[in-house]
Amino acid sequence: MILLCDTCSVLMLIRIAPEMFLDKRFECITIKNVCDEIFRTSKFKTKYPWRIKYKSKLKSLGSTIEKDPLIQNRYKIIDNLVESAGVLNEKTGRPFYLSRTDKKIAACAVVLKHGVSTVEYELTHFLKQQFNKRVIKPLTIINYWLKKGFIKWNDEKQSVIEDWHTCNEAAQDRADIDKFHHLTRRKYPSL
């Protein structure tokens, strides 16, 4: 399954597998908005100063694909659901808040029939509730890469996930933490 990665997932995973967008085995893609956010958002300049090192490794879907009429139409529908119709999040009872990039990710994922990698709860709930889309967290992806032999775990990669904890990145699922320990024999940093 090809996974469409959002900004947070890219920032969490790119240091683990810098070739994730260049090597087809990883089955990861992203959109131009995500690449733009990574390099233009001021909070990322401070929080992730290392991101510049990976600029040449980021490859997005082409603008031709993103401008496809089906994707544009789906984007308008999603925008309408969120902004005008005020669809409520069944978990919180409040209207969804999705950024322009989140809406674009949702539109691309739905039209292209891709799974999504995100740790953003609003986007996760929206995709599952409105489109029954599969959403996968970064540690699930790492476990898959380890199992397939796409990456080998080492001290450098361990320091990356320890940095996730330091940067207050989203918690990962307990089952994935247990699987990570089984695959690497390393402790996953706990909150």
Side-chain angles (χ1 to χ4, degrees):
M1 168 190 281
I2 295 176
L3 290 174
L4 183 57
C5 299
D6 78 344
T7 305
C8 290
S9 286
V10 171
L11 288 167
M12 292 174 79
L13 292 171
I14 194 82
R15 292 188 298 163
I16 299 290
E19 302 299 317
M20 66 186 276
F21 296 115
L22 305 175
D23 185 335
K24 291 184 186 286
R25 293 178 306 155
F26 290 93
E27 298 182 281
C28 289
I29 59 173
T30 195
I31 61 173
K32 186 176 182 321
N33 291 51
V34 166
C35 297
D36 291 345
E37 277 186 2
I38 289 171
F39 295 104
R40 292 184 184 161
T41 304
S42 60
K43 74 176 178 178
F44 296 147
K45 289 178 184 175
T46 305
K47 191 172 181 181
Y48 308 109
W50 49 261
R51 77 204 188 303
I52 299 298
K53 179 179 169 184
Y54 297 94
K55 191 170 190 173
S56 66
K57 303 291 186 181
L58 285 176
K59 183 180 175 189
S60 65
L61 290 172
S63 60
T64 306
I65 291 173
E66 290 185 43
K67 291 180 180 175
D68 179 283
L70 291 173
I71 291 173
Q72 294 297 318
N73 187 324
R74 183 59 64 173
Y75 177 87
K76 288 176 187 170
I77 291 168
I78 289 168
D79 188 53
N80 186 51
L81 284 170
V82 173
E83 303 300 329
S84 302
V87 173
L88 297 180
N89 181 331
E90 293 171 357
K91 291 200 180 256
T92 66
R94 295 185 311 247
F96 282 103
Y97 170 76
L98 296 179
S99 69
R100 183 174 178 269
T101 299
D102 290 343
K103 293 174 201 171
K104 184 80 134 197
I105 287 169
C108 288
V110 170
V111 171
L112 299 173
K113 296 181 171 63
H114 294 331
V116 175
S117 176
T118 185
V119 293
E120 300 290 335
Y121 291 110
E122 285 286 310
L123 181 56
T124 297
H125 295 163
F126 181 79
L127 288 167
K128 287 181 176 181
Q129 178 181 314
Q130 296 301 115
F131 300 104
N132 198 30
K133 290 299 295 175
R134 184 167 183 211
V135 177
I136 301 171
K137 289 187 177 181
L139 190 57
T140 305
I141 297 169
I142 289 171
N143 288 339
Y144 176 77
W145 291 343
L146 285 164
K147 191 174 174 187
K148 290 292 189 179
F150 298 163
I151 60 172
K152 300 284 185 223
W153 207 252
N154 57 31
D155 291 341
E156 182 181 336
K157 287 177 176 39
Q158 184 70 23
S159 70
V160 170
I161 64 163
E162 289 169 1
D163 191 46
W164 291 3
H165 176 69
T166 304
C167 290
N168 293 316
E169 296 293 359
Q172 303 297 298
D173 295 333
R174 182 79 231 168
D176 287 324
I177 291 170
D178 293 343
K179 190 172 204 171
F180 171 82
H181 176 72
H182 173 75
L183 290 166
T184 65
R185 298 290 180 229
R186 303 263 190 136
K187 184 178 186 300
Y188 186 84
S190 59
L191 299 176

